[in-house]
Amino acid sequence: MVNTDELLERFARAWPGVRPAVLVRAPGRVNLIGEHTDYNEGFVLPIAMSQSLYVVAGPSGDGVIEVRSTAFPEPARFPADDPGEPDVPGLPGWSNYPRGMAALLVRRGIRLAGSRLLIHSEVPVGGGVSSSAALEMGTGRAFLALAGADMDPVELALLGQQAEHQYAHSPCGIMDQFICSLGREFYALLLDCRSRQVEHIPVPSDQAVLVVMNTQVRHEIGGGEYGVRRRQCEQAVETLKARYGQINSLRDVKPAMLYAQRAGLDPLIFRRAHHVVTEIQRTTEGADALRRGRLEDFGALMFDSHASLRDDYEVSCAELDALVEIARQVPGVYGARMTGGGFGGCAIALVDPKAVEPLTEAVRTSYDGRFEKPALIYTTTASDGARAEPV
């Protein structure tokens, strides 16, 4: 857990004379199942992690917003009433997230005043657990609190997605911001990415523990392969529309429909679509398994999800594959899979509490030393979404 007293002291050292007024906690997220389905209008089933990002903020009275992070050396300064358009030269790249939130809040009519923000995060950057959404929701809640304003959590989540699109140039779906904003302790969030309807699904924390295994392989998904996969899904929809005029996204395609048109699809495009269509089905089946407390069934779906992400969607890597296979061999592990956009980051395992230590030891024995960096292993639990509290 983060020592908030120490954060307040760091704030005081950074800005003598500026009094902190608000402390925000914004969680990272782990997606239990439903990967690369959100931008295809499907279903996802994430939790808000207990590991979180923290923002200490206070008013400065000078009309300038200055944001500092304990993870990066360069601060960012910009006018409170005009945070600017995307791609302002001279500002550090990480600051696009808070500056984007500030700019979009101003456009919504929120009057931001000069302020100082100190950010500290225990959410791994580039780890596939949505450090970016935590940064967006954390700074967004801080700006609102200092302005004496509030915003519906769904509206704030959509604002965060917009900031990521426009300022970070990452064509993300809505999952990350939604779970970071709407998370609930002890529950996963079944999100319909088309209707935006949500259902909180209980996670039986007394029977199972979530173990996060961080490969320490960093990935950057803005632009790159993430955008390529998204365009490939759109290409599949365009081809299938010629036969099924009623479809608008891969959400509308059933496995039988996809197989019936396999001959007319490029083999690569078929595999991409096959992952999405079957992953949407796995996600709804997974939610039902959790409702019924059938952890073995849910775990089997996790393993199937990883295989699909590895073979059909091709977003895994050797490190993630190794962790999942090691977990598969440990008694008491219900299931494991990569989580997040892919190309590195984290794998997760759903395990019996008694299996946490054997899994950790198996990774230490069979993984560490085999790859450039050892895996970082920690447990996490479903927590609440972003919240601001007065200091």
Side-chain angles (χ1 to χ4, degrees), residues 145-226:
L146 291 177
D150 197 7
M151 185 173 284
D152 177 82
V154 170
E155 187 179 0
L156 186 65
L158 293 172
L159 204 72
Q161 182 196 29
Q162 187 181 351
E164 189 141 345
H165 287 183
Q166 295 181 8
Y167 282 77
H169 306 297
S170 176
C172 65
I174 64 174
M175 171 178 66
D176 296 351
Q177 292 80 10
F178 262 64
I179 185 59
C180 186
S181 189
L182 283 84
R184 182 183 295 176
E185 189 176 16
F186 306 127
Y187 287 84
L189 185 77
L190 180 63
L191 168 62
D192 182 335
C193 297
R194 169 174 285 171
S195 69
R196 299 174 185 160
Q197 291 184 332
V198 299
E199 178 187 353
H200 288 90
I201 307 291
V203 178
S205 55
D206 56 331
Q207 302 172 45
V209 176
L210 273 172
V211 178
V212 180
M213 300 174 286
N214 186 354
T215 65
Q216 298 197 74
V217 175
R218 292 281 298 277
H219 67 98
E220 298 289 344
I221 62 172
E225 291 296 321
Y226 185 100

Side-chain angles (χ1 to χ4, degrees), residues 367-380:
Y367 181 93
D368 293 358
R370 181 175 159 191
F371 295 96
E372 182 179 351
K373 295 180 179 180
L376 302 178
I377 302 176
Y378 54 92
T379 60
T380 193

Side-chain angles (χ1 to χ4, degrees), residues 222-234:
E225 291 296 321
Y226 185 100
V228 171
R229 296 302 184 280
R230 190 162 186 163
R231 289 191 293 275
Q232 289 168 337
C233 292
E234 292 165 354

Side-chain angles (χ1 to χ4, degrees), residues 103-121:
L104 294 175
L105 286 168
V106 168
R107 291 179 203 170
R108 291 290 184 94
I110 304 294
R111 296 187 62 181
L112 301 186
S115 57
R116 303 291 183 262
L117 281 74
L118 176 64
I119 297 164
H120 178 77
S121 182

Side-chain angles (χ1 to χ4, degrees), residues 13 27 70 80 184 192 218 267 302-303 322 332 351 370 381:
R13 290 195 300 269
T70 61
R184 182 183 295 176
D192 182 335
R218 292 281 298 277
M302 293 176 74
F303 283 128
V351 308
R370 181 175 159 191
T381 56

